[in-house]
């Protein structure tokens, strides 16, 4: 059986790993990048705390020695349902069974100025852009004579108070306290320069009240200015315009505000939800209106799980569990056995807020502080691809936490010879 999996994120990779070494099943992972990466730690790349290579791993290295796994570099352009084939940016591939696991992309909700000028946080490229942007702005501050210009360069607005927004706000606030004064003596200590804006009534929306309160308390303690019940409406000429009428002059708007499923052109229009563009699947993750196409992870919407009638949360654990179950179901399909329905087992959610401070919501409890922070680190090391990456990441963390001073603040931008310097 020829299985083509588009997207080698949490869902696609877990499916492929389960089917590795199984004769009669030939798997091709198609991805627009040649590496798998770990989104929950992107914010640490963007704040120069860890290297991008700590959280990414080449597919071809991952599939070495696996005789039935192949990698194909390309971006999906169209699903040709009638001929059981896909068109990619690099050619056509045929399948007996297609799995769509392309995740989501940043949603700008039609706000064109924000799409053009804000900095998203969805990919390694995004994280490196943000890292360079922050470091370049710091250099500009050291040269700026006008106090308003200095203030604007130092001010950072984060849109979106979910885990990503909270994590990045906490990390940048800590940089202001521990690093800026040392690296940039011309600037000195920086606090109170970060705004975290969210339209909801609390930070960490889907988490427990206790976690939400803890996030508010810790971030406020670090000097982050939190604005709730308020949305970022526009970003023009370096001015962030909020729905309550406030205008914040800022050279940096980080957009951590929303996602929308990646497009899969060629699927029946009736199998796509109008909200969030997710692909509608049944309890076996089969795409509605098709027979041999499945979708897993953030990209799909499954409403048949009794505990999640409005669809599952777009989280790594859901993607991992769906990938593993679909692997099992593809074997069942091959052997003519009945398929198992997907049921999500919530193992808990967590968010890091600052150094030594995290929150963990378990199905039956909540904990916070140093223990939660340590558990967070441990849990986030386990799924990192590659043993060497795990060791490197653990060492980097250890070193950064004891010294408060990682050494990765490098402005590295691939440029042509004729492009201008900073
Ligand atoms: C900054 C950030 C922080 C997060 N933190 C957490 C967290 O702490 N805990 C948690 O549970 N979840 C977190 N999430 C959500 C979590 O990362 C997702 O739920 C999870 O990645 C979904 O897995 P997936 O396999 O569906 O998609 P992804 O992991 O997004 O993988 C999609 C894959 O598809 C590829 N792809 C995309 N488009 C195409 C195309 N057109 N053609 C070919 N390939 C394509 C991509 O390159 C990628 O490899 C976070 C997400 C982000 C962005």
């Amino acid at each position: 059986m020829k299985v083509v999996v588009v997207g080698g994120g949490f869902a696609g990779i877990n499916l492929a790993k389960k089917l590795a070494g199984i004769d009669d099943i030939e798997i091709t992972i198609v991805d627009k990048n040649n590496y798998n990466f770990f989104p929950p730690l992107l914010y640490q790349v963007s704040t120069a705390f860890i290297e991008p290579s700590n959280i990414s791993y080449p597919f071809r290295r991952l599939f070495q020695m696996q005789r039935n796994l192949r990698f194909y570099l390309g971006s999906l352009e169209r699903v040709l349902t009638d001929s059981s084939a896909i068109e990619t940016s690099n050619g056509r591939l045929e399948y007996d069974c297609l799995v769509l696991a392309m995740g989501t992309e940043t949603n700008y909700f039609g706000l064109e100025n924000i799409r053009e000028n804000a900095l998203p946080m969805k990919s390694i490229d995004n994280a490196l852009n943000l890292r360079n942007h922050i470091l370049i702005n710091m250099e500009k501050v050291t040269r700026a004579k006008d106090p308003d210009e200095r203030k604007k360069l130092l001010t950072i607005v984060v849109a979106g108070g979910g885990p990503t927004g909270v994590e990045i706000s906490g990390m940048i606030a800590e940089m202001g306290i521990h690093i800026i004064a040392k690296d940039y003596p011309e600037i000195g200590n920086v606090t109170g320069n970060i705004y975290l804006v969210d339209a909801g009534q609390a930070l960490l929306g889907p988490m427990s009240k206790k976690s939400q309160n803890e996030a508010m308390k810790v971030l406020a303690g670090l000097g982050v200015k939190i604005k709730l019940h308020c949305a970022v409406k526009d970003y023009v000429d370096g001015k962030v315009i909020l729905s309550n009428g406030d205008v914040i002059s800022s050279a940096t708007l980080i957009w951590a505000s929303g996602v929308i499923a990646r497009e899969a052109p060629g699927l029946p229009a009736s199998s796509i939800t109008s909200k969030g563009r997710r692909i509608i699947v049944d309890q076996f993750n089969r795409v509605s209106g098709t027979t041999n196409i499945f979708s897993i992870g953030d990209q799909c919407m499954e409403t048949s799980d009794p505990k999640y009638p409005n669809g599952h949360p777009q989280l790594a654990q859901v993607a991992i569990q769906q990938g593993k179950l679909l692997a099992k179901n593809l074997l069942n399909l091959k052997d003519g056995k009945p398929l198992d329905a997907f049921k999500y087992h919530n193992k808990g959610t967590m968010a890091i807020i600052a150094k030594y401070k995290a929150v963990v919501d378990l199905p039956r409890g909540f904990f916070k502080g140093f223990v939660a922070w340590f558990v967070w680190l441990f849990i986030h090391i386990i799924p990192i691809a590659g043993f060497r990456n795990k060791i490197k990441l653990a060492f980097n963390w250890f070193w950064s936490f004891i010294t408060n001073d990682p050494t990765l603040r490098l402005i590295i931008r691939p440029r042509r010879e004729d492009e201008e310097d900073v």
Side-chain angles (χ1 to χ4, degrees):
M1 179 160 71
K2 219 189 279 177
V3 178
V4 170
V5 181
V6 189
F10 283 105
I13 277 296
N14 276 283
L15 176 138
K17 277 196 207 155
K18 277 261 160 207
L19 294 176
I22 301 216
D23 292 329
D24 314 335
I25 298 196
E26 197 185 291
I27 299 171
T28 304
I29 291 262
V30 180
D31 203 290
K32 63 193 181 74
N33 298 312
N34 79 332
Y35 54 84
N36 165 268
F37 73 100
F38 190 73
L41 291 177
L42 279 176
Y43 81 98
Q44 294 199 1
V45 174
S46 63
T47 45
F49 204 72
I50 58 173
E51 293 177 54
S53 63
N54 288 165
I55 61 162
S56 38
Y57 205 77
F59 287 114
R60 287 189 179 276
R61 175 72 176 81
L62 208 58
F63 298 166
Q64 264 182 16
M65 320 292 282
Q66 303 295 348
R67 60 183 184 281
N68 67 333
L69 299 190
R70 288 286 170 273
F71 173 66
Y72 188 96
L73 181 70
S75 181
L76 178 85
E77 290 190 337
R78 193 158 198 88
V79 182
L80 308 168
T81 49
D82 290 343
S83 43
S84 288
I86 57 167
E87 269 170 15
T88 77
S89 50
N90 289 327
R92 180 186 157 108
L93 285 175
E94 284 173 8
Y95 61 81
D96 297 316
C97 180
L98 175 67
V99 181
L100 298 170
M102 290 181 285
T104 56
E105 61 189 32
T106 305
N107 191 354
Y108 297 97
F109 306 103
L111 301 166
E112 210 37 46
N113 290 328
I114 292 179
R115 194 182 65 76
E116 268 175 34
N117 302 315
L119 294 146
M121 270 285 293
K122 271 293 287 173
S123 63
I124 296 273
D125 293 351
N126 292 163
L128 287 174
N129 270 341
L130 181 52
R131 176 172 111 179
N132 285 339
H133 177 91
I134 292 174
L135 296 176
I136 288 170
N137 276 357
M138 286 300 152
E139 295 299 335
K140 287 183 182 166
V141 177
T142 62
R143 301 189 302 261
K145 301 275 182 293
D146 176 9
D148 288 342
E149 181 62 13
R150 273 174 74 95
K151 192 166 176 217
K152 179 176 163 185
L153 286 165
L154 283 171
T155 301
I156 294 177
V157 181
V158 179
T164 302
V166 164
E167 285 165 353
I168 194 135
S169 301
M171 197 77 166
I172 299 176
E174 295 218 77
M175 268 175 91
I177 295 166
H178 298 296
I179 289 171
I180 303 292
K182 281 191 280 181
D183 265 21
Y184 306 88
E186 305 92 325
I187 302 177
N189 266 335
V190 182
T191 50
N193 61 322
I194 299 158
Y195 291 81
L196 177 56
V197 183
D198 194 280
Q201 53 188 356
L203 298 177
L204 298 179
M207 294 189 77
S208 68
K209 195 101 203 114
K210 284 180 179 164
S211 290
Q212 295 172 350
N213 292 342
E214 178 70 4
M216 289 286 282
K217 198 175 94 191
V218 172
L219 289 183
L222 287 170
V224 175
K225 294 172 179 157
I226 300 160
K227 287 181 172 277
L228 298 174
H229 306 288
C230 174
V232 172
K233 281 283 170 214
D234 208 346
Y235 185 36
V236 267
D237 301 330
K239 291 191 169 53
V240 180
I241 297 157
L242 306 185
S243 56
N244 65 0
D246 285 0
V247 176
I248 305 168
S249 186
S250 167
T252 309
L253 171 62
I254 300 174
W255 192 250
S257 202
V259 291
I260 185 164
R262 295 252 177 205
E263 226 175 331
L267 290 187
S270 58
S271 62
I272 309 292
T273 58
S274 52
K275 197 170 163 239
R277 211 202 277 153
R278 289 165 83 174
I279 300 174
I280 302 167
V281 295
D282 66 10
Q283 68 271 40
F284 312 118
N285 286 87
R286 195 188 315 253
V287 176
S288 106
T290 72
T291 51
N292 58 347
I293 305 180
F294 296 81
S295 179
I296 47 179
D298 279 6
Q299 199 179 12
C300 77
M301 166 71 111
E302 183 179 333
T303 52
S304 47
D305 189 342
K307 282 197 192 151
Y308 299 89
N310 299 319
H312 297 107
Q314 286 164 300
L315 291 175
Q317 263 306 321
V318 177
I320 292 169
Q321 292 176 27
Q322 285 181 336
K324 288 181 176 171
L325 183 73
L326 183 57
K328 190 167 169 242
N329 275 337
L330 290 180
L331 288 175
N332 288 346
L333 206 62
K334 179 176 80 68
D335 299 338
K337 293 185 186 161
L339 308 188
D340 294 334
F342 178 73
K343 283 196 181 60
Y344 172 48
H345 300 291
N346 179 9
K347 295 181 178 171
T349 44
M350 49 177 64
I352 207 160
I353 309 169
K355 189 176 174 185
Y356 305 141
K357 294 196 167 80
V359 283
V360 177
D361 284 342
L362 295 173
R364 276 180 219 172
F366 155 86
F367 60 104
K368 63 174 187 175
F370 180 79
V371 179
W373 176 82
F374 195 76
V375 170
W376 187 98
L377 295 187
F378 184 71
I379 297 277
H380 282 77
I381 285 261
I382 296 170
I384 294 285
F387 181 69
R388 210 164 65 107
N389 269 6
K390 289 185 213 283
I391 299 291
K392 269 172 26 188
L393 182 60
F395 179 76
N396 265 357
W397 275 345
F398 172 73
W399 188 252
S400 300
F401 285 126
I402 57 164
T403 61
N404 256 334
D405 200 359
T407 52
L408 302 170
R409 291 181 293 281
L410 309 167
I411 302 171
I412 298 177
R413 297 171 303 164
R415 280 173 303 166
R416 290 193 318 267
E417 283 284 298
D418 55 354
E419 276 183 275
E420 275 183 27
D421 288 332
V422 182

